[in-house]
Amino acid sequence: MNIEEFRTYCITKKGVTEEFPFDEHTLVFKVMGKMFALMALERKPPQANLKCDPEKALTLREEYDGVIIPGYHMSKKHWNTLYLEQLAPAFIKEQIDHSYDLVVNGLTKKLKEELRNLTL
């Protein structure tokens, strides 16, 4: 999966915005204002950071040694960095969905209701 495919999949999800809050090279995806994915546009090979359940994060790092690593410049407990070109697109989409769902599940009742009422 390349960075454009990653971006396209992220922005199709309900309530997602994209922005550059850190610098002009780091694209951040948020759902209802909460970050669930980010990618450094200049990094070679392409990679992205995704939020992950801590136990699942450890399992993925073991299973995909060197391809999924602790989140670069992020909480190592809650974030993974994925090397996009070395993983199947369907698997990456599953990880994006997992990250998105983790963030949505952690939203306040008010924000969850706002998200439910949004149209795509």
Side-chain angles (χ1 to χ4, degrees):
M1 177 178 277
N2 64 40
I3 60 172
E4 191 55 39
E5 292 166 328
F6 185 93
R7 177 190 170 272
T8 299
Y9 187 74
C10 286
I11 63 173
T12 61
K13 301 189 85 48
K14 194 172 188 177
V16 170
T17 58
E18 57 183 335
E19 57 188 71
F20 291 90
F22 306 118
D23 59 41
E24 67 276 5
H25 304 291
T26 307
L27 180 57
V28 174
F29 300 93
K30 296 181 177 183
V31 55
M32 304 306 289
K34 303 291 183 181
M35 184 167 54
F36 74 94
L38 64 107
M39 60 187 341
L41 300 177
E42 305 287 319
R43 281 223 180 252
K44 301 291 184 219
Q47 53 192 265
N49 287 1
L50 294 169
K51 194 163 185 134
C52 192
D53 170 78
E55 288 183 30
K56 181 177 181 174
L58 292 174
T59 301
L60 290 173
R61 291 173 200 163
E62 288 176 13
E63 188 174 337
Y64 296 90
D65 187 33
V67 179
I68 298 178
I69 61 173
Y72 181 72
H73 282 290
M74 306 295 285
S75 164
K76 308 300 186 220
K77 182 176 180 181
H78 296 280
W79 289 83
N80 279 336
T81 296
L82 287 70
Y83 286 86
L84 301 178
E85 292 178 341
Q86 298 179 44
L87 296 164
F91 175 79
I92 295 170
K93 288 178 181 179
E94 287 174 16
Q95 302 317 303
I96 293 169
D97 293 345
H98 175 69
S99 181
Y100 177 89
D101 291 344
L102 277 175
V103 173
V104 168
N105 290 336
L107 294 174
T108 64
K109 286 183 183 182
K110 180 181 176 186
L111 287 175
K112 286 179 185 176
E113 184 64 29
E114 285 179 33
L115 180 61
R116 269 192 292 277
N117 292 329
L118 289 178
T119 56
L120 286 176

